Every structure is written in C-alpha cells, then in structure tokens.
Amino acid sequence: MNTSPHVRRFAELRLTDRPTVGGKGASLGELTFAGAPVPPGYVVTTTAFDAFLGALDPDGEIRTAIEALDSEDTEAITRVVTPVRERIEAAELPEEVAAAIRGHYRDLDSESDTPGEPAPVAVRSSATSEDAEDASFAGLQDTYLWVRGEDALVENVRRCWASLYSVESVSYRRRLGLPEHDLAMAVVVQRMIDPRCAGVMFTRSPLTGDRSVVALEASWGLGSALVSGDVTPDKYVVGKVTGDICSRTVSAKLRQHRMDPSGSGVLEEDVPEYLRDEPCLSDEEIHELVTLGRQVESHYGAPQDIEWAISRNLAPGHNIYLLQSRPETVWASREKAPTASPKARAFDHVLSLLGGAGSGPGGSTK
Amino acid sequence: MNDDRTAPRFPLPSELTDVAGAEGWASMYPYYTRFQPGDDQRFWFYNAMHFPEPMPAFDAITAEAPYTAIGANTARMFVFPTTLGIEHRIVNGRVYITANPVTDPEEIQHRLAEFSERAGYYYENWDDLYQGWVARITALIDEVQRIEVPRLPEFEDPEVVFQAKGVAQNHYVRENYHRLIDLYSKMWHHHSEFLMLGYGAYVVFFEFCKTSFPEIPDQDVARMVAGIDVILYRPDDELKKLAKLAVEYGVDDLFVEGCEPDKVLAALAARGDGGRSWLEAMDAVREPWFNMSTGAGFYHHHRSWNDDLTVPFAALPGYVDQARRGELLDRPTEQLTAERERIAQEYRSLLAGEEEQAAFDQMLGLARVVFPFVEDHNFYCEHYFTTKFFAKVREFGELLHDHGVLADAEDVFQLNHTEVGQALTDVMLAWAAGSKPVGSAHVRETVAERKRMLEALAGWSPPPALGPVPEVLNDPAVRMLWGITAETIQAWSTPTADGDHEVRGFAASPGVVEGTARVLLSANDIGQVREGEVLVCPVTAPSWGPVFGKIAAAVSDIGGTMSHAAIVAREYGLPAVVGTGHATKRITTGQRLRVDGDRGIVTILD
C-alpha cells in the first residue's frame, strides 16, 4: 500500500487526479482502470515537485526572479535560468521523495520480463494544465526513453523538472503571464516495452468518420517512426460489428525507430529488406487490438484515438500494450444532422427515393 | 467522386464488325433486336450476367420476354417516376442493354402521383399479395406441365367424332405451342411483379447504411436483410439429407469423386434394399427440388439437375464424406438468425440518435418484408418454370424430328420462336395433306449453319460496354444486379495498373485464400471442379450452390454484391470477387491464384 503523497501508481489513478499527476498520468490511470493492458508504471506527483522546489528555493527567490523577466529578453532569461537548471540537475532530492521514487522503481524492476538487468523505463513530463492538455508545455519538455537503474531514473526525473527552466519554457510562460508560484509538473515513470511493431488505432474512420469501423496503422519498431511521419505504415480497416478485416494495405516500410543496441536511447535506421513488405500485424493481433479499442471506447463512451505497441519479447496473447488513449476530436466536432428521420409509413422512404431523390412526398431521405 | 477523369471511350455499336465465319449471325434473331443508327448516341452494356454465351436462336426469347415484362411493369403498371424499361440489342450473338430514364422534372412529378398510389398498395399489402403470388406462379408451372404436344395419329381418336369436337389434332399443335410461349411470357410478367419494388426497398436501406456508415461493406448490409429460410438453398439442403441417408443405408462407398452418375445409379440399383431405398429417397425430392438449372436459367443447354445429375452427384461425395465423419450438414438456421439480429442491432446502436434509429428500423423492416420474394422468385421462375418450359420446347422438337423436319429434336433451339411456329405449321399442313413437310432440307441446312456460327461467335470477346458514357448512371437495379456504377465503367475502360498479374472486381465476400484456378465457361462443365480449386467463371448461378462446398473461392466476370454468387459465397464463408469484367479471359485453368475477397483483387501468382 502506497503511503507517500509523492508517488502514485497508475492503478490508483483516475482522470480526476489530473491536478496532481498531470494529463498523461491521469489518462494512463484511467486506461489502467478500464482494464486495458498498460505497461506498469507510476507518477511522481506535483507534490514531489513542490517538495523538491520548496527545499531548493524555500523563500521563492528563484520564482520571483523569473516572474520579473520579460518574455522578449532572451538574454536576461538565459542569464537567470542557466544556474537554476544546473542547480536542479545537481540537487539532492528530499529524502522521502527519493525513497518513494526508488522504492516504486524496485517494484517495477521485480516484475521485469528480462531479469538480471535493470528494467528500462520511459520518463516523461505530465502537464497539469486543466484547459488544454499539454498545451502550456507543448513540445517543450523532453521525454527520456530506455532509462535503466535507480540512479539514472532519479537523474532523469530531475532533468524533466529542469526542462521547465529551459529558455523556451520560461519565455513561453512569461508570454502567457503564468504565475511561477503555481507551476507544477508531474513525471510519468513507465516500464518500456521493446516493440516489434507499434502504431495508432482510431475507433472511427479518420477518413470518413464512420463509427462502425476501427482503423489501424502500424509500422516496425517504435510508434515514433509512424507519428513523426518517417514511415508509410500498413493500414487496416476492421468492421466493429462483424470483426471482418474490410481492407488491408501493406506498405513498403523503409524506416524504423528502435532501442539503441547500447541499451539506452533510440536508434533510427533502415528496415532490413526482408521485412519491408511484410505485414507487421497478424490477423489475431488485429482482432485483439480491435477488441481492446472497443473496450476502451465503451469505457469512455466516445470514439478514441489510441497508441499501442506489441512487445518483441512476450508471448502472443500477452504482448499487446496500450500506451495512450484520447477522445477523437476531429469528427466529434463536426457531427452532422441526422441522415434520415422516420416517416409516416416505412415505404414512404422508397417512394421518395424512386421518385427521384428528394422530390418525393415527405421530403428527402438523403 | 472525381469528375476530372477523362471520359471513357467505348466502341460505338456501328463500329463493331461481324465475327469472321459468323457473318450471317443476324438472321438468327428478330429484326427488332438489331442496333439502329441512332443507338450510337446511347450507352449500352453487355449483360454478361444473364447472357454470358452467344444466344442460340430460340434462346433469344429469354431476353425478349423478360424485357417485355420488366418494362411493362415499371413504365406502365407501377409508373416508376424516373425509370422506363430496358431495351436490348443483339450483336454477334451477345445481348447488350440500356435502361431508359425519365429526366423531365414535370413528367417525373406527374408519374410520381400514380406511382405512390400503386406502389403504396403493393408495399402495404406485401405479405398477402406475395402469398397470392406463390399460388399464381405454382399454378402457372402446373399449367405449363399440362400442355400436351399432339402426336398427330394416322386417324383422329373416334371420340373427336362421336363427341362432335369438330377440331383435329393438328390445330392443337399451334394452339398449344402458342400457349407455351404465352405462358412463358406471362411467367416473366409475374417475375417482374414485385421485383423492382423489392429492389427499391432494399436500395433505400442500402443507401441509408452507406450514408450513415460510409465504409460499411456491402455484404454487411446484405447480412442484415438476407433471409435464412430461403427456398433457393433448399435443393442443396436436400442433397445433404441424401448424403446422410447414403451413410445410414450403407451405400456411402458408392459416392466417389469423379464417378459418373450413371455408374453410381447402376451400382445403387444392384445394392439391394439399401440402394433401392436411397434411390426412392432421391426420386421423392427430384420434384420440385432438382428443377435447378446449372445456369441462370437463360440457356436451353444449361440443363437442370433432373436432366443431368452431374451437378448434384459432383457435390454428393463431399457431403457423404462429411456425413461419415459425423459433421453437421444442416445449415445452422437458428444461429444464422441470431447472428443476423446481432449484426443489425449493433449497427443500429452505432447510429447517431433516436431519429436515425427509428428510420433504420423502418427501412430494415421493409427490406426484410420484401426480401423473401427477391430471393425466392429465382427458384420459381428462372429454375422451376424455365426447366419445365425448355422440356416442353424439346417435346415440340421431337414432333418436328418425328416428321422429318429436324435431324435431332434438340435442334429445335437453333430456330427462333417464330421460326419454330413456322416449322410446326409446315408439319400441320403436311399431316393434313398427307404429304411431307416441305421445309426439312431448308431447316436442316439452317440448323447446321447456325451451329457453325455459334461456335465462331463463342470465340468473340465482347466489349463490356458500347457508346458514350452517360453523365448520370444511378439506376438502382442496374447497380444492385449488375454492379454497374461510374466506378465500374471507369475500371472497365482503363487497364489495371499492375499489369497482367491482377484482376480487380468487387469484394463480394471476405477472406483471402490461394488455390489453383478452374476456369469454367459453361455451367455444364461443373463436374470438372475439384476440391480446393478456385472457380473462375463468367457468372455463377445459385444452382451452383453445391459446388461451393468444395471450392476455395469464387471469381466471376460479372455480378454485383447482391448477385446470387455473392450471396451464396458469403453463406458458405468463401472469399469471392465478382464483376471483374474479364477474369475468364485473363486466367487459365491450372494457374495459382490469390483471391482477396476483402479488397476485390485476384492475383495471378504464376
């Protein structure tokens, strides 16, 4: 049982926990609650950040100094934040914060599927802004992949926090006039899986908005190759109702992102020739993903945009993970008027169609 | 849809030349089936779905009678607002058709008032009227069977005199022949009676589904509507029962792949009680269930199961094998019904709101009401009636043969239906005069010449369409039945990008399999199909049902997603690609194929 306020496991979280664990942490918690296979992990809460910064800057001098900066004055910002970042990256964590982070990491490590070496984790910032997910920090904070061992983890948590004090982050906050004293950041620590392939899944068609199909895109290695547009993915469309795979496009997948052979960091490389034109998903995997997608969709009650990955090391049936799910927004924002309304008699629909669409009694069906 | 594509260019009717060696083909058909100069301005497509082979002279009636009836039904009886009838033309033995639209808005409105009242009456009373229809059509089938072909005795039966009948037998030659032709025409009127209204109700539901779920596969729409207890499946179900009986009676060893029906029948007769019981059981179901044409019911030489047991006996070894292994042969109708309901309910629940769900309920409900007719009329009309009709024509052929006009009774089909009337008149006159028919030399020459021409015509590759493509092409029946849309036409007129290795068509039934091709140009060769082969044919008819039990996939030149081939393939869970345009030309027997029923692509792997 977790007693520290500084760390919370995904399993304890729901969307409503966003103020202390950030958007990403809360959504991974909700997804875990929905019964989806999410790689295990926990969130270093805003409380931990507060405790850390409180110890580093008990009188709020740093924060006051930053609030006084002009967003246009890059030189002044650089002068102020450089030592701050150095201090953050070098500072000891308060004992109870460090203990909580390390203790939970050991739990994760003990569930490792590759015993003998420290479990690799991803360390990501998780913004707490309520109004627009990650908007206030969009793209400004780093993500660190394949982090191994307690010491490296603590160091990368500090790097995450420190990234709040990059020149770009600070000028961004100053431009918006955000108060420094309310500033908080949560950090997600999540077991890395080494994906054979990864991709995205929309529980409605991104092309037509059709809610009766699930569209999947997949490519070899990490999903970042696909999201960044580095590769043309395989595409599958699956009917929700029958489970039939209605269309299947296997593309030539030329690039992949994968774990660096050194065991840390990401390598971008060409896909070996023999794999390029091979489909990266089996029918079983497609069906399993679609089942998961529908489960998450029904948990949220709305079509979802989901990131997933399939482990290279685990056995079929236990190798699929969901990494993120958010409500689909593009089609949701343009739901159209009903395509048809009931008529006095069922055959009035036919009369109006055969009468020349739209010219029949009782108006148009289309 | 893209409108910036270049307009496809099909040959004009006037640009077609006679097939070498068949220059006199036009003499086989009535004058009103010839292309006229003005026809160059209209768009025609080859109706390979119903007429995949050159038409023997007599068989041209299978185009004339349907189009007489369908047009009367839509244009004059129900007064469809936007559609008149279908015109047909024959060139080089092939049937091309075009649908005549109504485009003047004022005229459409004028017709709509009539149509609403008339069609409304049929929709409102559909079930009652359909029950009546079944009674009418079975009475008609009865009537055609009762037609007598007079034998023209040396002397009239004395009763003709003593009952003062006053009419000699030769009169009945013509009367009964005309009645046969008239009944055939009448059957086609009944065939059309509900058909377009039925398609209309289905198309409305189909279009609604496509609007609400733009990516819904056509077959899913069909699965929500299609009947489970369909008469068209009954012949196949009867075969399965016979397979079980073969095991029960201990005669199952006699059903081996490739064995000729005659040999199996002889062996059964020699097998004592078990064999006799099985033969009795088969005889009990032959009427009416073996009245299935091996084609779509438009050619005299596509014999019925009853005429030629090859088709049912090609399917029996497989079924017997399954029965022996104790596999369930019955169609799981309860399960199919539950699945149909589940699919419909799930799509319904995906609709945006209660308004749409209520409309969905109305349209689906109506589509299901009309569908028994849409599915089952085929058995009554194209198969049962037509089998009896051709059998009667053969009897008249025998009469002509007996009187020396024809060398072979089967040659009657080389004369068109008015020419048969003339030949019969020749016999009537000769019998009355005590002379010989004068036409025998002339008729036999014509028959020989026509057989030769048909052979030459069979080698012709008819263009899929003729003339300029119209701007609007949205006839619901044309779309549902023939699968002809702006996209199809575009595909026909542009060669596939992937060269010689791909044939594209409609994804009619899902799944991907590989197998060896068996190209069948005539349904009569169906006995050649072996277990696990991919059937490649001009068009598959419902009567091929049994063979679907042994093939791995089906590919056809013609047909839409509601063509019966597509429905049957889905029923059997086989991948199918239909409406490829020219699969039978591009693929040869023995080639390895990959059939992708998800995408509608056939890949030639060799």
Side-chain angles (χ1 to χ4, degrees):
Chain A
M1 187 61 199
N2 179 41
T3 51
S4 166
H6 302 308
V7 167
R8 299 187 65 194
R9 298 181 66 123
F10 293 164
E12 304 168 56
L13 300 174
R14 300 295 302 274
L15 279 182
T16 47
D17 291 304
R18 182 194 278 263
T20 55
V21 300
K24 183 177 292 294
S27 96
L28 287 168
E30 189 71 28
L31 206 52
T32 305
F33 176 79
V38 176
Y42 56 95
V43 185
V44 180
T45 61
T46 55
T47 317
F49 176 76
D50 290 343
F52 173 75
L53 201 62
L56 192 74
D57 181 27
D59 304 323
E61 285 165 11
I62 295 175
R63 283 164 275 185
T64 309
I66 289 175
E67 267 176 2
L69 289 166
D70 174 357
S71 69
E72 301 292 315
D73 190 350
T74 313
E75 218 169 281
I77 294 175
T78 312
R79 208 165 46 240
V80 173
V81 301
T82 306
V84 171
R85 292 188 68 176
E86 280 167 6
R87 281 177 65 192
I88 291 176
E89 286 180 11
E92 287 293 326
L93 269 55
E95 185 49 42
E96 52 177 25
V97 174
I101 293 175
R102 288 171 183 270
H104 279 78
Y105 177 76
R106 283 193 294 273
D107 287 350
L108 271 192
D109 196 20
S110 70
E111 295 162 8
S112 171
D113 52 291
T114 48
E117 44 184 314
V121 290
V123 181
R124 307 169 192 267
S125 64
S126 180
T128 58
S129 159
E130 277 291 352
D131 38 41
E133 175 153 356
D134 291 340
S136 52
F137 306 103
L140 298 178
Q141 276 75 41
D142 298 334
T143 283
Y144 306 100
L145 301 178
W146 308 107
V147 175
R148 291 174 192 269
E150 290 173 38
D151 294 342
L153 169 60
V154 168
E155 186 189 321
N156 280 291
V157 170
R158 276 196 307 243
R159 285 170 71 188
C160 259
W161 287 340
S163 68
L164 277 176
Y165 297 94
S166 68
V167 175
E168 295 81 4
S169 287
V170 170
S171 23
Y172 182 81
R173 290 202 296 277
R174 294 306 356 110
R175 200 157 55 242
L176 296 181
L178 299 173
E180 283 296 302
H181 288 81
D182 288 353
L183 182 64
M185 178 196 261
V187 177
V188 165
V189 179
Q190 186 176 27
R191 270 281 305 286
M192 277 306 297
I193 64 161
D194 182 9
R196 186 193 82 223
C197 65
V200 291
M201 164 162 61
F202 307 93
T203 67
R204 79 190 298 173
S205 165
L207 286 180
T208 61
D210 190 335
R211 299 170 72 118
S212 75
V213 297
V214 174
L216 280 159
E217 295 188 358
S219 69
W220 297 118
L222 290 162
S224 54
L226 188 152
V227 174
S228 65
D230 207 11
V231 67
T232 306
D234 292 344
K235 295 187 174 126
Y236 307 89
V237 178
V238 182
K240 278 181 189 168
V241 174
T242 58
D244 290 339
I245 300 168
C246 329
S247 91
R248 191 193 295 264
T249 312
V250 177
S251 308
K253 299 169 288 298
L254 305 181
R255 297 284 289 169
Q256 66 180 359
H257 297 178
R258 65 182 183 94
M259 178 180 72
D260 192 281
S262 70
S264 107
V266 173
L267 182 72
E268 299 183 12
E269 61 175 14
D270 287 341
V271 173
E273 200 131 347
Y274 74 96
L275 274 181
R276 288 178 182 175
D277 296 315
E278 287 300 309
C280 37
L281 291 176
S282 69
D283 285 9
E284 290 72 27
E285 288 165 343
I286 292 170
H287 292 309
E288 209 178 318
L289 278 165
V290 168
T291 306
L292 288 170
R294 293 202 68 186
Q295 186 187 334
V296 174
E297 177 186 57
S298 93
H299 176 79
Y300 280 95
Q304 298 289 300
D305 167 355
I306 295 167
E307 289 173 27
W308 54 267
I310 298 184
S311 163
R312 191 186 296 283
N313 306 314
L314 298 174
H318 309 277
N319 57 352
I320 296 184
Y321 288 101
L322 303 192
L323 308 178
Q324 182 158 176
S325 183
R326 22 179 136 66
E328 185 277 343
T329 50
V330 177
W331 287 95
S333 66
R334 44 174 144 145
E335 290 289 7
K336 46 189 177 2
T339 48
S341 312
K343 299 200 177 203
R345 304 164 302 188
F347 62 82
D348 287 334
H349 294 286
V350 192
L351 297 183
S352 67
L353 179 86
L354 295 180
S359 60
S364 167
T365 57
K366 303 178 62 180
Chain B
M1 192 186 316
N2 275 333
D3 280 323
D4 57 347
R5 59 174 187 263
T6 49
R9 167 83 169 86
F10 293 105
L12 301 176
S14 63
E15 290 169 348
L16 296 179
T17 52
D18 292 346
V19 169
E23 285 80 4
W25 62 264
S27 67
M28 289 195 267
Y29 314 109
Y31 73 88
Y32 45 79
T33 61
R34 312 273 157 72
F35 274 112
Q36 305 299 307
D39 290 343
D40 271 3
Q41 271 81 61
R42 309 164 75 190
F43 175 71
W44 302 83
F45 66 90
Y46 173 36
N47 184 0
M49 177 169 172
H50 294 115
F51 309 110
E53 303 167 43
M55 307 300 293
F58 187 87
D59 298 19
I61 196 175
T62 67
E64 179 182 312
Y67 296 131
T68 308
I70 289 172
N73 176 283
T74 55
R76 312 289 171 192
M77 207 166 357
F78 285 102
V79 199
F80 277 57
T82 58
T83 317
L84 297 171
I86 292 172
E87 284 187 68
H88 77 290
R89 302 282 188 264
I90 300 178
V91 57
N92 283 328
R94 312 298 176 124
V95 178
Y96 282 80
I97 61 176
T98 194
N100 286 339
V102 181
T103 49
D104 173 18
E106 218 167 285
E107 200 185 336
I108 291 174
Q109 279 311 312
H110 172 60
R111 297 178 67 91
L112 183 58
E114 293 289 338
F115 175 69
S116 301
E117 200 178 332
R118 298 171 186 216
Y121 178 76
Y122 258 59
Y123 285 126
E124 231 155 22
N125 301 289
W126 191 279
D127 280 336
D128 284 350
L129 293 172
Y130 177 51
Q131 287 314 310
W133 182 87
V134 173
R136 289 196 289 284
I137 199 76
T138 39
L140 216 58
I141 292 169
D142 244 28
E143 205 178 337
V144 78
Q145 293 190 83
R146 280 189 277 104
I147 287 181
E148 279 178 36
V149 179
R151 303 319 299 195
L152 301 183
E154 186 184 4
F155 301 128
E156 280 290 325
D157 190 306
E159 293 307 304
V160 175
V161 176
F162 299 130
Q163 289 182 10
K165 286 188 174 167
V167 177
Q169 284 298 298
N170 64 343
H171 164 81
Y172 293 105
V173 170
R174 180 154 52 197
E175 181 175 317
N176 290 359
Y177 175 70
H178 282 176
R179 197 143 58 85
L180 177 62
I181 300 297
D182 292 343
L183 285 174
Y184 184 67
S185 164
K186 206 180 250 182
M187 178 275 280
W188 276 103
H189 276 265
H190 287 305
H191 175 280
S192 319
E193 191 178 338
F194 294 77
L195 197 62
M196 296 319 234
L197 295 176
Y199 279 129
Y202 182 75
V203 168
V204 162
F205 178 65
F206 183 88
E207 298 286 338
F208 172 74
C209 289
K210 286 283 176 186
T211 311
S212 302
F213 307 111
E215 295 177 49
I216 190 173
D218 291 2
Q219 59 256 34
D220 280 12
V221 183
R223 283 165 79 176
M224 289 190 257
V225 175
I228 311 296
D229 258 332
V230 177
I231 273 188
L232 217 46
Y233 297 131
R234 182 73 183 275
D236 195 28
D237 289 343
E238 293 298 335
L239 279 187
K240 291 172 179 171
K241 281 189 209 152
L242 288 172
K244 280 197 262 188
L245 284 181
V247 176
E248 202 180 311
Y249 297 155
V251 295
D252 48 314
D253 57 302
L254 300 177
F255 294 90
V256 274
E257 172 128 0
C259 195
E260 287 164 32
D262 283 349
K263 290 186 182 148
V264 181
L265 291 176
L268 281 162
R271 187 56 87 75
D273 284 352
R276 238 187 338 271
S277 303
W278 192 89
L279 287 171
E280 276 166 22
M282 182 179 78
D283 283 341
V285 299
R286 285 180 76 150
E287 283 301 328
W289 304 115
F290 278 26
N291 286 297
M292 287 293 282
S293 165
T294 50
F298 294 83
Y299 290 89
H300 76 273
H301 57 267
H302 292 166
R303 305 304 296 269
S304 75
W305 296 7
N306 261 338
D307 297 323
D308 176 359
L309 290 169
T310 305
V311 171
F313 276 51
L316 277 169
Y319 289 158
V320 166
D321 223 40
Q322 283 172 269
R324 209 184 280 133
R325 290 197 302 267
E327 284 172 27
L328 216 57
L329 286 174
D330 306 315
R331 285 179 344 110
T333 47
E334 261 176 51
Q335 210 176 306
L336 289 169
T337 310
E339 178 68 356
R340 179 176 93 155
E341 212 42 49
R342 181 190 73 80
I343 292 173
Q345 284 313 311
E346 286 204 28
Y347 274 111
R348 183 184 191 277
S349 71
L350 289 165
L351 290 167
E354 280 173 27
E355 283 265 286
E356 287 187 8
Q357 290 180 340
F360 174 91
D361 291 343
Q362 284 188 326
M363 294 181 203
L364 174 61
L366 188 66
R368 285 182 177 173
V369 167
V370 303
F371 231 60
F373 174 83
V374 172
E375 286 179 318
D376 287 340
H377 80 274
N378 224 277
F379 175 75
Y380 292 111
C381 296
E382 276 92 334
H383 293 277
Y384 195 0
F385 185 103
T386 303
T387 295
K388 297 302 180 195
F389 170 69
F390 281 136
K392 264 317 158 196
V393 178
R394 276 189 183 89
E395 280 187 49
F396 280 102
E398 274 159 31
L399 181 69
L400 291 171
H401 168 67
D402 290 347
H403 290 264
V405 179
L406 295 174
D408 180 348
E410 197 71 10
D411 290 343
V412 67
F413 295 108
Q414 300 303 332
L415 306 176
N416 67 43
H417 72 91
T418 52
E419 291 169 339
V420 172
Q422 288 171 26
L424 289 170
T425 307
D426 195 3
V427 169
M428 289 157 64
L429 280 163
W431 182 75
S435 60
K436 291 223 171 299
V438 297
S440 47
H442 155 74
V443 169
R444 288 179 189 210
E445 214 171 277
T446 305
V447 166
E449 167 74 0
R450 289 180 176 181
K451 284 182 175 172
R452 203 180 49 71
M453 288 195 295
L454 281 176
E455 230 165 274
L457 293 174
W460 187 53
S461 296
L466 302 174
V469 176
E471 280 180 23
V472 189
L473 196 101
N474 58 359
D475 188 280
V478 169
R479 174 180 177 159
M480 299 313 300
L481 263 176
W482 287 285
I484 291 171
T485 61
E487 287 84 354
T488 334
I489 290 165
Q490 176 75 0
W492 280 345
S493 56
T494 46
T496 54
D498 289 278
D500 293 336
H501 298 290
E502 271 190 14
V503 180
R504 285 168 182 265
F506 285 95
S509 179
V512 183
V513 296
E514 291 183 9
T516 306
R518 170 72 63 179
V519 181
L520 291 189
L521 293 177
S522 163
N524 290 356
D525 300 330
I526 203 163
Q528 297 172 4
V529 177
R530 295 289 168 263
E531 198 78 37
E533 290 183 329
V534 174
L535 175 65
V536 181
C537 54
V539 57
T540 67
S543 55
W544 294 36
V547 94
F548 277 71
K550 61 202 297 195
I551 60 176
V555 177
S556 73
D557 286 348
I558 207 81
T561 44
M562 277 309 292
S563 65
H564 282 279
I567 294 174
V568 175
R570 290 192 290 270
E571 182 75 16
Y572 282 80
L574 300 173
V577 177
V578 300
T580 58
H582 23 238
T584 56
K585 302 266 163 20
R586 301 267 306 277
I587 297 167
T588 52
T589 293
Q591 282 181 323
R592 291 285 300 169
L593 302 180
R594 182 189 301 123
V595 180
D596 185 338
D598 301 326
R599 294 191 291 160
I601 298 176
V602 182
T603 312
I604 302 168
L605 301 171
D606 289 346

